[in-house]
Amino acid sequence: MATKKPTARPSVPAFERPLVTVDVVIFTVIDEQLKVLLVRRLDAAGDPHPGRLALPGGFINVDVDASLHDCALRKLGEKTGLQTPYLEQLGSWGSATRDPRGWCATHVYFALVPPPETGEETGSKAPPVSEWVEVDTALRKRLAFDHAEILAAAVERLRGKVEYTSLPAFLLPEPFTLPQLQRTYEIVLGRPMDKSAFRKRMLDAQFLIEAGSIAGDAGRAAMGYRILDRERAAVFPRTFRSVEVLSTKD
Amino acid sequence: MATKKPTARPSVPAFERPLVTVDVVIFTVIDEQLKVLLVRRLDAAGDPHPGRLALPGGFINVDVDASLHDCALRKLGEKTGLQTPYLEQLGSWGSATRDPRGWCATHVYFALVPPPETGEETGSKAPPVSEWVEVDTALRKRLAFDHAEILAAAVERLRGKVEYTSLPAFLLPEPFTLPQLQRTYEIVLGRPMDKSAFRKRMLDAQFLIEAGSIAGDAGRAAMGYRILDRERAAVFPRTFRSVEVLSTKD
DNA sequence: ATAATAGTGTCTCTCAGACACTATTAA
DNA sequence: TTAATAGTGTCTGAGAGACACTATTAT
């Protein structure tokens, strides 16, 4: 075991403690595109990667944050004001070199939120410190730290789980219709889906409750739905299209 | 962002850093049972939970460990001597209360290894500091810290993924036969499987390579197999029969 | 030969996909 | 009416499960 015992305090290591942060990958769909929320890093003395785009996040404050999950919820609330997001742990990244300030481990969460109300961006303050960036565009940018790698992992996880879960429902404001939900699946996965198969699958999974008819811009009105249990996503018995291989490492 | 700036060093928080540990849930199959490796905690001054069983792990040493993954590999090597384990990140647990010594976050990995050679336990040293415990027994024990919760999550993840991946292959020494692999699936999942369906599925997934015939104690000899790519598990196009599929609307 | 285990053939059931069909709304 | 969109019915194919069948080995 690594629990060497220095003379001073037994059982707690004498060597330096790593820096600990929490980052959140926040997805939504705006203008028929899957987008991720990024923040512009400050140009302050000692701050690494000034001016670069980064995932929202920051250091754990042991006096404020009761747990990792609470810390992620707090950061998400600060950025979006959302109260009932879908929030799931993605993983952790830690090494001696990923932050110039020292050995640093980050706990990464990913969140699915409905798009912000039109007109305002994210907050109502003047400076656009945060912006929604189309995911494939964001993947091509040079983000701060190893955030490009983390974002890639989040997108892979999202696209992977969308094949067999109801995750895209959390990207829509309620109530939503089945055609809207299908469109969201198609946007996230980047391919068209068959209407009949899609509807059978959604309704058979029993995770939606009817919420009255909703009229669109044209044509027949559609049934509106709400998510039955916002705490968890439904899992379908078969995937839409089979994936090949799960990777252990990067 | 949480990056408050005290007068001294900008961008690095002035408040206390959390403790950071890495724990590893190591599974294998011994005597037709799924087992997990647990260590007996020392009865030393200041050590929490003395004498309790715990998952193997310990503090990150920023001078030794280049990354979280390396740290997990090191701890796994110290316990099992294994060189090519299946190692996957499970998640992280962090809160103000999970360790009496202070705000502590642990990064948990889970590993699948073949059973140790018979005769020796894990290492060759005298004191049995670590032992293989049958998982359902281990789940009922009062483990140190929140390790019971972590173990439960690891078992759930393992059993869940076994329904649609080739993970159990990593629990066997190579080469192994298809009947041995089927037995391993049955042990992990706790239910019998159909031989014909099982074999079709394994061979169709193209993750095994033939490695010569292997004679058992009785009956016809069986073909031996090795894993084609030990870095990743194969993913099957459909899950084995799951409970939720059975429940239908009337 | 028999016992024991390895491995296959064939049926059925379920569900995803394809795609044509009907239903409802606004103009 | 027509255009547009919502929603359904029906066929097919892939793959899982059930289970009876054949194959190979030791004694």
Side-chain angles (χ1 to χ4, degrees), chain A residues 12-13 17 20 60 62 65-68 107, chain B residues 16-23 48 58-60 92-107 145-147 150:
Chain A
V12 168
R17 300 181 182 186
V20 180
I60 284 268
V62 299
D65 300 306
S67 67
L68 291 174
H107 302 261
Chain B
E16 198 190 350
R17 301 181 182 187
L19 295 161
V20 180
T21 63
V22 168
D23 293 310
F59 292 103
I60 283 267
S92 55
W93 276 255
S95 78
T97 53
R98 60 178 296 277
D99 190 312
R101 292 166 293 190
W103 216 110
C104 178
T106 188
H107 301 262
F145 307 105
D146 50 3
H147 287 190
I150 292 172

Side-chain angles (χ1 to χ4, degrees), chain A residues 194-213:
Chain A
D194 179 79
K195 184 171 50 162
S196 175
F198 180 83
R199 298 175 63 92
K200 266 184 290 185
R201 191 164 178 158
M202 294 303 134
L203 295 175
D204 286 355
Q206 302 269 356
F207 70 100
L208 296 172
I209 41 179
E210 297 192 352
S213 195

